[in-house]
Amino acid sequence: NAVERMQALKIIEKVLEVSPEQFPIAFARSLVAVANSKDDTFRKICIETIRDLSLKNPSMVAAVDGFTPMMDAVLEPITQPMADSIVLALIYLLNDPTTRAIVSHGVDLRALVKIFYLFLCYVFYLFLYDVMFQSFFYSICFLYSFYLFFLLPS
């Protein structure tokens, strides 16, 4: 079963690489279903694939509610190593006015910013000297400043 699932993920990644505009919605829904399952062993791989799809075809990700597992992954300690790439992908999508409208309907950035606003001093105090959390902290601070300066006025 695991070998078949890995082969299916390889096919999905190859289709995404070859033609992201014609990416089948069934593949996207399958990725989101696995990414929403907290105990699935392929969850991290599916979240990374959704992140790649969001950069190449953000309307597809919004159509299948794929931004929700991406945001959940940013907030969970288990998926913390990929939080930087997810936050950077979201910032990249929010930087473009055409994709900003698509992403803003599927992502509740206020929830993310609110959580880190409340615990920003706590995180700074505890984890600044830990190398593992430095890049995560800086990417969240950048996202928060981006939100305050660019998204609130618009």
Side-chain angles (χ1 to χ4, degrees), residues 20-70:
E21 300 84 21
Q22 298 176 350
F23 193 77
I25 196 164
F27 287 176
R29 286 185 180 140
S30 300
L31 288 171
V32 171
V34 174
N36 281 328
S37 177
K38 303 285 185 196
D39 57 342
D40 199 319
T41 56
F42 290 99
R43 181 171 188 253
K44 291 180 183 180
I45 299 169
C46 289
I47 290 172
E48 282 293 324
T49 308
I50 292 170
R51 183 192 58 84
D52 291 341
L53 180 61
S54 71
L55 294 173
K56 296 176 182 175
N57 192 349
S59 58
M60 173 71 72
V61 175
V64 297
D65 196 27
F67 290 111
T68 303
M70 287 174 60

Side-chain angles (χ1 to χ4, degrees), residues 35 40-52 69-90 132 135-136 139-140:
D40 199 319
T41 56
F42 290 99
R43 181 171 188 253
K44 291 180 183 180
I45 299 169
C46 289
I47 290 172
E48 282 293 324
T49 308
I50 292 170
R51 183 192 58 84
D52 291 341
M70 287 174 60
M71 292 297 291
D72 292 342
V74 170
L75 299 174
E76 291 178 6
I78 294 174
T79 55
Q80 191 275 327
M82 67 171 104
D84 293 341
S85 64
I86 294 171
V87 169
L88 290 174
L90 290 172
M132 183 174 146
S135 62
F136 177 68
S139 59
I140 294 303

Side-chain angles (χ1 to χ4, degrees), residues 4-21:
E4 293 171 355
R5 293 177 74 193
M6 184 57 74
Q7 293 298 321
L9 280 171
K10 286 180 183 179
I11 290 172
I12 288 173
E13 289 174 353
K14 186 56 90 173
V15 170
L16 177 62
E17 180 183 322
V18 172
S19 179
E21 300 84 21

